[in-house]
Amino acid sequence: MSAQVTTEEPVREGVTPPSPGAPRDRWRSRWPVWSGCLAALWSLLYGAAGLYWAAGGAGYPFAKVADDRSSASLLEPSRAEIVGPVIAAVGAAGVVAGVLMARGVGKGRARTWLLAYGWISACAMAFAVPDYSLLGLLVFAPLLVVFAFTGVPGPQDGVGDVLYWHRGNLIIIFVGGLLWAAATLAYQWRTANRCTACGRAPHGAARWTTPEATRRWGRWAVYIAALSSIPYDFTRLAWYFGWPLGITRPFLEDMQNTPGMLEIGLGLGLLSTAGGFLTHGLISRWGEVWPRWVWWKAGKRIHPLTAVVPATTVALVLVPGGLMNARHVTAEMWGANGPGILWTVWGLALGAATLAYHLRRRGACARCGRA
């Protein structure tokens, strides 16, 4: 037996519901439907691509290619005739699961299977399959805009030599993972009779989501996130000053002979340190009210999304980068990839700290009125 769940939310007395005629409000209220539809559509298109590659079509993104056109994905290198049918099968299952989630169908064991498929798909696509490309894209995004007009320094002919197909495909897969996470979360809340705007149950918020609780575990999450970046920062600083910490002397000399290489490493280390410092804003007053050193906004309230959006973005791209480093670390060159393994810890801790910040500042729900 199956059950179809409505997307309508009960509204508490005294709480003004959003105007049903506003397009923006309609779009928000129906996100459990469109998120499932988008996940199903993504699965249909990528599954069809898998079928095409399995049949011998060109452009298989996990094939063995030259190093300057490859990625460090979990699936690379692999053969299209083996992985292609798997992609097609997973895509077909995703179409069915996405449609069922969009319709709010399923209870009991069927609901459990749909949730398992959704969360496994989301984690595999967003974290396991990609490499560090997303993190690199985020860090170097401003430079890529400049390079689009000035050209890329060094032997590369253009931005296409940086964002080539094998890397672009990983971005597509990552987006698919985010779609599946959204669809599954919406379905989980919807079929549990929770508010699809805030996730609260009819009997109120869980104890671990109260402001007092989030301050406690959110503080520990911030500390772990900040400490996780230190090994990476320290090794890059050591290399800049000529100490081959965790790498061979010839490798250090190669970097010293490559213009700008050590400076880029130092810059990334300092950027990482700055990120660790900014993480403390998630548990500090200056993370809720603009401090004096931001003089043009000093004393004004910080909108929660100002912190939640960038922190969530960084947390999401850190995890696959850390998992990739775990697959490539060696004893002789542990300094190159070893500290990066902690990016996974950093990303998970930063995600937890961001969740705590969001829960602490979200207030009463505008739709269901629960606090």
Side-chain angles (χ1 to χ4, degrees), residues 12-371:
R12 281 189 174 183
E13 184 178 353
V15 177
T16 303
S19 171
R24 184 178 180 183
D25 292 329
R26 287 202 305 269
W27 182 82
R28 284 181 176 178
S29 65
R30 292 186 60 79
W31 81 279
V33 176
W34 61 252
S35 60
C37 291
L38 286 179
L41 177 61
W42 186 96
S43 297
L44 175 65
L45 295 176
Y46 205 81
L51 196 61
Y52 169 74
W53 294 324
Y60 177 60
F62 303 112
K64 184 175 179 59
V65 292
D67 290 343
D68 61 354
R69 283 293 183 273
S70 66
S71 74
S73 170
L74 178 67
L75 295 179
E76 188 171 338
S78 62
R79 297 168 58 182
E81 59 268 28
I82 296 176
V83 177
V86 176
I87 293 175
V90 172
V95 172
V96 175
V99 171
L100 292 176
M101 287 184 179
R103 291 175 58 84
V105 174
K107 63 179 181 179
R109 187 172 297 179
R111 177 178 182 270
T112 301
W113 278 106
L114 284 173
L115 290 175
Y117 177 88
W119 285 122
I120 291 173
S121 297
C123 292
M125 295 176 192
F127 298 147
V129 175
D131 60 6
Y132 67 97
S133 298
L134 291 154
L135 180 59
L137 179 63
L138 179 65
V139 172
F140 291 106
L143 290 178
L144 290 177
V145 175
V146 176
F147 293 161
F149 297 95
T150 65
V152 181
Q156 292 90 354
D157 292 330
V159 175
D161 282 352
V162 178
L163 291 176
Y164 42 81
W165 169 231
H166 279 228
R167 284 181 172 173
N169 170 67
L170 297 184
I171 297 175
I172 294 173
I173 293 176
F174 179 78
V175 171
L178 297 185
L179 290 176
W180 271 109
T184 308
L185 181 63
Y187 176 75
Q188 182 171 330
W189 284 354
R190 185 180 176 188
T191 53
N193 197 30
R194 291 177 176 268
C195 174
T196 55
C198 67
R200 292 181 175 97
H203 53 74
R207 186 176 301 176
W208 65 273
T209 66
T210 62
E212 296 76 16
T214 55
R215 284 190 183 92
R216 287 194 300 271
W217 59 265
R219 184 177 296 109
W220 281 106
V222 166
Y223 295 157
I224 293 172
L227 291 174
S228 298
S229 69
I230 292 178
Y232 179 87
D233 307 342
F234 189 73
T235 53
R236 273 55 187 176
L237 185 66
W239 298 351
Y240 182 78
F241 287 105
W243 180 19
L245 179 62
I247 57 175
T248 62
R249 173 64 65 176
F251 186 79
L252 176 62
E253 292 174 352
D254 285 343
M255 288 195 293
Q256 291 172 334
N257 294 329
T258 303
M261 183 64 70
L262 290 176
E263 287 75 13
I264 290 176
L266 177 64
L268 292 175
L270 294 176
L271 184 63
S272 172
T273 301
F277 170 75
L278 290 176
T279 303
H280 285 81
L282 298 174
I283 56 172
S284 304
R285 175 173 170 76
W286 57 267
E288 300 182 15
V289 178
W290 290 105
R292 286 180 296 178
W293 39 274
V294 186
W295 66 91
W296 63 95
K297 285 195 173 184
K300 295 181 180 179
R301 175 181 177 271
I302 297 176
H303 194 286
L305 290 181
T306 303
V308 169
V309 171
T312 301
T313 302
V314 173
L316 287 172
V317 300
L318 279 170
V319 175
L323 294 176
M324 180 217 69
N325 278 302
R327 298 193 298 267
H328 292 84
V329 66
T330 62
E332 186 180 26
M333 293 284 291
W334 63 264
N337 297 101
I341 296 175
L342 292 176
W343 290 350
T344 299
V345 179
W346 185 4
L348 294 175
L350 178 58
T354 306
L355 176 61
Y357 176 88
H358 161 71
L359 293 174
R360 191 175 71 251
R361 299 201 60 200
R362 62 180 176 172
C365 178
R367 182 179 301 172
C368 69
R370 299 166 191 150

